[in-house]
């Protein structure tokens, strides 16, 4: 069973920049794993921010961007806002099935 | 606008089955995939599986194979996820989500709490 690993927690100051990463026990994450990124706030359903590594939905704020970085999928927030405080999850695909990362709790302080 | 509205909370005893529904509106139902994802209390997200637009093919996470069945009804624009042989560890919020490709999520339902307790 493939394990997908994210930073358990990160803290960033308002207006700052932070990068969350998503690593796979199966090796380097590539575009062929179609990474998706989701934001979840307490008591709410998840919201999809990024699909297929770096594509944004119409509702995704411009300050969010997805990429590949050093063999991992990455989500970068530039110009962080207080409302970005949330849990962030990545998802990657392996041969017809998908696995979520454990999530990163982002604190804006 | 796209809406995914899920059925209400359920309580089941261990060994029973539960069927959760997800009614879609605001777009052409038969051209999109659906995923099911769950979240145990205080835990992360877990991918359960996916059903294709025509409803004739579904892929399930190995952990759930043999216990889960995903179906869809085009006449009512509704997808279903049935989980059987329930145990306490299945207590979770179950979400449906739409996929515009087999790999890419967009909209999510509001979630359905399933509680398994004797």
């Amino acid at each position: 069973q493939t394990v997908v690993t994210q930073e358990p927690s990160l803290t960033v100051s308002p207006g700052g920049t932070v990068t969350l990463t998503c690593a796979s026990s199966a090796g380097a994450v590539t575009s062929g794993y179609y990474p998706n990124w989701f934001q979840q706030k307490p008591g709410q359903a998840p919201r999809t921010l990024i699909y297929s590594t770096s594509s944004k939905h119409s509702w995704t704020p411009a300050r969010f961007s997805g990429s590949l970085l050093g063999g991992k999928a990455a989500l970068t927030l530039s110009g962080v806002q207080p409302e970005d405080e949330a849990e962030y999850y990545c998802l990657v695909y392996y041969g017809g099935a998908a696995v979520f990362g454990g999530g990163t709790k982002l604190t804006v302080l | 606008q796209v809406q995914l509205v899920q059925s209400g909370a359920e309580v089941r005893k261990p060994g029973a089955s539960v069927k959760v529904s997800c009614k879609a509106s605001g777009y052409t139902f038969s051209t999109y995939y659906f995923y099911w994802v769950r979240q145990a209390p205080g835990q992360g997200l877990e991918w359960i599986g996916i059903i294709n637009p025509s409803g004739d093919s579904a892929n399930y996470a190995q952990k759930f194979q043999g216990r889960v069945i995903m179906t869809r009804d085009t006449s009512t624009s509704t997808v279903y996820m049935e989980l059987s042989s329930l145990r306490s560890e299945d207590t979770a919020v179950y979400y449906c989500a739409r996929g515009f490709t087999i790999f890419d999520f967009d909209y999510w339902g509001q979630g359905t709490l399933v509680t398994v307790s004797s």
Side-chain angles (χ1 to χ4, degrees):
Chain A
Q1 169 74 10
T2 304
V3 176
V4 177
T5 302
Q6 300 180 242
E7 297 86 0
S9 63
L10 291 169
T11 300
V12 61
S13 299
T17 296
V18 65
T19 296
L20 290 62
T21 67
C22 176
S24 167
S25 64
V29 176
T30 67
S31 59
Y33 289 81
Y34 300 92
N36 282 236
W37 288 92
F38 308 91
Q39 178 192 64
Q40 187 179 34
K41 296 183 178 179
Q44 296 183 16
R47 180 173 74 142
T48 312
L49 295 174
I50 300 288
Y51 63 94
S52 286
T53 306
S54 59
S55 297
K56 300 182 188 183
H57 287 293
S58 59
W59 55 80
T60 305
R63 61 185 179 274
F64 290 86
S65 62
S67 64
L68 297 174
L69 209 58
K72 301 178 185 180
L75 177 71
T76 299
L77 289 71
S78 305
V80 172
Q81 302 297 306
E83 60 266 28
D84 297 333
E85 183 162 296
E87 192 86 23
Y88 291 84
Y89 294 92
C90 67
L91 173 103
V92 290
Y93 285 88
Y94 302 93
V99 180
F100 280 98
T104 295
K105 168 94 175 104
L106 183 66
T107 301
V108 181
L109 206 56
Chain B
Q1 72 284 19
V2 175
Q3 282 196 301
L4 303 179
V5 179
Q6 297 185 223
S7 48
E10 304 271 13
V11 179
R12 293 286 186 273
K13 293 190 183 307
S17 298
V18 69
K19 192 169 187 177
V20 180
S21 68
C22 170
K23 184 171 176 59
S25 62
Y27 72 98
T28 304
F29 176 75
S30 57
T31 57
Y32 289 84
Y33 295 83
F34 272 90
Y35 310 92
W36 287 91
V37 172
R38 76 178 186 182
Q39 186 169 39
Q43 302 301 308
L45 301 174
E46 184 172 27
W47 190 86
I48 300 173
I50 180 174
I51 184 166
N52 71 347
S54 60
D56 60 359
S57 178
N59 277 1
Y60 307 127
Q62 190 171 9
K63 173 178 180 176
F64 297 99
Q65 284 179 7
R67 279 210 303 145
V68 68
I69 299 174
M70 295 179 186
T71 55
R72 57 194 296 163
D73 182 344
T74 302
S75 67
T76 59
S77 299
T78 303
V79 290
Y80 299 92
M81 190 277 308
E82 183 170 19
L83 189 62
S84 59
S85 302
L86 290 168
R87 31 210 190 232
S88 59
E89 311 88 87
D90 294 318
T91 294
V93 176
Y94 289 76
Y95 294 101
C96 64
R98 195 182 78 163
F100 58 98
T101 75
I102 195 170
F103 303 111
D104 299 314
F105 285 67
D106 54 18
Y107 295 90
W108 289 68
Q110 85 278 17
T112 296
L113 175 62
V114 174
T115 302
V116 183
S117 173
S118 55

